[in-house]
Amino acid sequence: MADATPPAPPRKKSGAAKWILRLFLALFLLIIIALIILYFSIDGIIKSKVEAAASSSTGQTTTLSSANLQLSGILTLNSLDIHNPSGYKSADFIAVPKTVITVKPSSLLTDTLIIPDITIDGLTLSLEQDGLKNNLGDVLAFAHQQSADASSKPAGNSEAGKSKQLDIGKLTLTNVKVAASGFGVGQTFDLGTIEMDHPTDPNGRLPKVADLTAKILERIAQQVAANPQIPDALRKNLGNLNQIIPQAQDLLKNPGGAATQLKGIGNLLNQNKGQK
């Protein structure tokens, strides 16, 4: 009986197939490493972006102790401090111990951040008088100018224009306090809770960081003026802040007239300086 033909040996993979497989595995490994690096560095990236955005919107140096983004989309900002303008005694204009932001993770890679909820807890504003002008009026005028730039210039043409749009469902400021000094008083006043539903820029579009900053400062200024606990002496010494707000609102609704209207706001501030 003839011997059975032995089975053919298995074919060896070609050299090209081996190199393709190795290249695929190497690329996959590099992607995994990049994602791991991004995961562990994302908090630092967010921290620097928040500091830069707040500084650009207020014109003041801003520091943030830490930022933590969870995979669920909960972003926590700890100890946000916006420094005072030059010439004022207090170190910080605004101090915020904690901010919790709910973000739709997929929107982080788009031009519009979808934010169902923002809760800013414990914001304390140091309201300081310098002659007949005050730091709130100074920063608010600057913030309105930046907001006008953000509304009138397309993305990429200015620092304000580079900011992403914010699609915010609800913004809540809890335990808001104003520490007043230089008005013949030295007291801290509780403004309670401030709420905003679906905030927009003055033209009804989704806001950018500069728009949101101006809106928050404006609401605080209005709360200060309306609070019955605020002494009359303090209210009177707020200077021309109530004139600055309407002019700034007109400016934001009509960016084309920005130069003329900003000059008017500047004149108000300069008048206050001259009356010190």
Side-chain angles (χ1 to χ4, degrees):
M1 184 174 180
D3 293 336
T5 303
R11 294 182 179 181
K12 294 183 178 180
K13 293 182 180 179
S14 67
K18 287 183 179 180
W19 278 109
I20 291 174
L21 179 60
R22 290 174 182 173
L23 180 61
F24 175 80
L25 291 175
L27 289 174
F28 179 75
L29 183 60
L30 286 175
I31 291 172
I32 295 299
I33 293 173
L35 289 174
I36 292 174
I37 293 174
L38 178 62
Y39 176 78
F40 284 103
S41 62
I42 190 66
D43 290 346
I45 294 172
I46 292 174
K47 177 179 179 295
S48 63
K49 291 291 185 182
V50 170
E51 290 175 333
S55 296
S56 176
S57 299
T58 62
Q60 309 307 319
T61 302
T62 300
T63 59
L64 178 66
S65 176
S66 64
N68 177 254
L69 177 64
Q70 301 177 21
L71 293 177
S72 61
I74 303 297
L75 172 62
T76 303
L77 307 178
N78 297 303
S79 298
L80 175 70
D81 296 323
I82 300 174
H83 296 184
N84 235 336
S86 177
Y88 293 98
K89 296 178 181 178
S90 303
D92 292 327
F93 169 59
I94 283 179
V96 183
K98 186 175 182 180
T99 299
V100 178
I101 305 171
T102 303
V103 183
K104 186 176 180 180
S106 60
S107 71
L108 292 170
L109 301 177
T110 69
D111 291 332
T112 300
L113 288 177
I114 299 176
I115 305 173
D117 181 77
I118 300 177
T119 300
I120 301 173
D121 184 47
L123 182 150
T124 298
L125 185 148
S126 296
L127 181 57
E128 188 176 339
Q129 185 80 3
D130 182 15
L132 291 180
K133 72 185 186 76
N134 61 82
N135 55 350
L136 177 54
D138 290 354
V139 177
L140 182 56
F142 183 91
H144 277 283
Q145 179 180 346
Q146 295 302 104
S147 182
D149 287 345
S151 296
S152 63
K153 296 180 181 179
N157 283 13
S158 67
E159 286 302 316
K162 294 176 184 178
S163 177
K164 292 189 177 187
Q165 294 186 117
L166 308 175
D167 187 354
I168 302 170
K170 186 171 184 177
L171 170 65
T172 305
L173 292 89
T174 57
N175 302 311
V176 181
K177 292 180 174 57
V178 170
S181 62
F183 300 87
V185 295
Q187 294 177 255
T188 298
F189 303 95
D190 189 351
L191 299 186
T193 298
I194 298 174
E195 296 181 342
M196 303 181 203
D197 291 322
H198 301 285
T200 61
D201 84 343
N203 294 313
R205 294 190 296 269
L206 292 177
K208 295 184 178 182
V209 173
D211 302 310
L212 192 62
T213 301
K215 189 174 287 289
I216 289 173
L217 292 177
E218 184 177 312
R219 284 291 298 273
I220 291 175
Q222 292 169 345
Q223 293 283 94
V224 169
N227 194 305
Q229 296 179 336
I230 303 293
D232 289 339
L234 188 157
R235 212 184 318 270
K236 291 177 181 178
N237 285 323
L238 283 175
N240 289 314
L241 184 57
N242 289 331
Q243 297 179 47
I244 293 172
I245 291 175
Q247 288 200 25
Q249 290 172 333
D250 290 341
L251 162 66
L252 295 174
K253 293 176 182 177
N254 180 24
T260 300
Q261 295 180 61
L262 283 174
K263 183 178 179 181
I265 293 174
N267 287 340
L268 283 174
L269 294 174
N270 289 331
Q271 288 171 14
N272 285 339
K273 291 178 182 178
Q275 297 177 42
K276 289 196 299 178

